[in-house]
Each structure stands twice: as structure tokens, then as C-alpha cells.
Amino acid sequence: MSRTARVERITKETKVLVEIDLDGTGAAEISTGVGFYDHMLHQIARHGGFDLTVRTVGDLEIDAHHTIEDTALALGAAFDQALGDKAGIRRYGSATVPMDEVLVRAAVDLSGRPYVVHDEPALAPYIGPVYATSMTRHIWESFGQAARVTLHVDVLRAARPGGHPDAHHVVEAQFKAVSRALREATAIDPRSAGAIPSTKGAL
């Protein structure tokens, strides 16, 4: 069965299109107008093994907040739609990812119950000209709400000897870890015989 989705989200502030294939090869076509965010969404595709198209036009003349938030909401909705009734999936996934001095752990439960825990150190306020590092938590909260998943993201180590955390590394390692956790959780479990992985019979 095809595990694909197409989600369009249109507001007075943004116009977002997301297409996803959970059983892809990591191919991506990303354009949000926020260069660093594009780079992070490429991590979702590549390290998750998902084919992903994201096209967002937002009110960047104000700031990047609406563009980033609405894209995360549409991405979460696309995951939820592509998973369908979640029959046969592994459901749980986790990954610990190093990136130079940074170490991040992510764990996900495709539970149908949105809940997000996010822990990271204080970072420089911006990466590039428009990506506010405060938005990273908001991305996971927006994604988790729309995807209806439980998500924990913990930065276990970040500080360089004698220096401050490298914001780029801290955020990128989070995206890579979440991507790897999602890859595991969305994978088909050959031992489940297509059953829904819950004693309730539904997720």
C-alpha cells in the first residue's frame, strides 16, 4: 500500500505544499525562503529515507516565524496522513546522533497523542540572517501536534572546550536524530503481520 501524502496549508500569512513518500529514497525538493531551514528539512528526507517536497511562500518581509511554523504544521500533517491507520509499523523509534562536539538523543512514539519534550542549551539568537534558534523548539512542538506523535529531543552534550555551543551543530544534530528516530518508527515491522501496534487496537 502506498504510504504517501499531499498537504496544502493556505493562510493569510503563508502558502505551504508538502508531499511525502515514507518509503522513498531520501530525495528532496525544498524551498521555504529560509536557507538554513531548507538545509534542515533536507536532513529529514536524507536521514529519514523519505522522499519529500516542500514549497512554502510566506511573509518573510515580517520575519520567518510564520513560514517556519506553518511548514512544520504541514509536514506533521503529511506524516500523519501518510501513516494512515499505522497498521504494521514499528511505532517506536530512537536515535543518538553525534555531530562533532554535539550529541543529541531523539525518541518518538507514533502514539496518536501529541506530546513534545525538548531540551537544549542557550544558543546564539540566530543562525544565518533569519533563522531564530528559539524556533527549533517551536518546530518540534508544531510538528508533534500535527503529526500526533510523542517526541523527546535532548541535547546531551554541546559545549566546546572553552567556548559556547555551536548553534548550527546543535540544531542540525537534532534534525538528524529526529529523522533517524522517525525512520525507525515508521518502518514496517515484518513480525507484526500488519497488526496495529497497540493493545487498544488503534493509534
Side-chain angles (χ1 to χ4, degrees):
M1 184 176 66
S2 175
R3 299 196 300 162
T4 62
R6 176 187 173 94
V7 170
E8 290 186 85
R9 177 183 173 87
I10 300 173
T11 72
K12 292 180 179 180
E13 299 162 340
T14 62
K15 181 178 181 180
V16 185
L17 168 68
V18 174
E19 296 177 330
I20 194 166
D21 182 348
L22 299 181
D23 301 306
T25 61
E29 180 187 337
I30 312 290
S31 177
T32 67
V34 181
F36 180 74
Y37 195 33
D38 290 357
H39 181 44
M40 294 303 98
L41 294 174
H42 271 95
Q43 307 306 318
I44 296 282
R46 175 55 57 192
H47 295 283
F50 312 121
D51 288 348
L52 180 62
T53 297
V54 177
R55 299 192 189 100
T56 303
V57 177
D59 54 357
L60 294 176
E61 71 280 4
I62 296 175
D63 69 8
H65 186 108
H66 299 141
T67 295
I68 292 171
E69 175 184 49
D70 288 1
T71 300
L73 287 167
L75 180 63
F79 265 91
D80 187 43
Q81 185 182 123
L83 283 165
D85 65 4
K86 303 177 185 174
I89 63 167
R90 293 186 182 275
R91 175 178 170 176
Y92 296 98
S94 64
T96 303
V97 170
M99 187 169 181
D100 297 348
E101 77 285 3
V102 175
L103 186 66
V104 173
R105 178 180 60 213
V108 65
D109 174 11
L110 306 181
S111 59
R113 300 185 305 276
Y115 197 94
V116 174
V117 177
H118 177 257
D119 183 38
E120 70 176 7
L123 300 175
Y126 282 90
I127 301 171
V130 294
Y131 183 91
T133 54
S134 61
M135 286 301 297
T136 306
R137 176 192 295 272
H138 197 41
I139 289 167
W140 300 134
E141 290 171 341
S142 299
F143 173 82
Q145 172 189 337
R148 300 188 306 120
V149 303
T150 296
L151 176 64
H152 289 243
V153 185
D154 296 294
V155 178
L156 304 177
R157 187 174 298 117
R160 294 171 292 177
H164 298 290
D166 183 312
H168 188 130
H169 285 178
V170 170
V171 176
E172 184 168 341
Q174 290 178 54
F175 273 83
K176 288 178 175 177
V178 170
S179 303
R180 285 285 171 175
L182 286 169
R183 181 179 188 136
E184 181 179 349
T186 59
I188 298 298
D189 184 351
R191 298 176 61 185
S192 75
I196 292 172
S198 171
T199 54
K200 297 180 179 69
L203 287 172

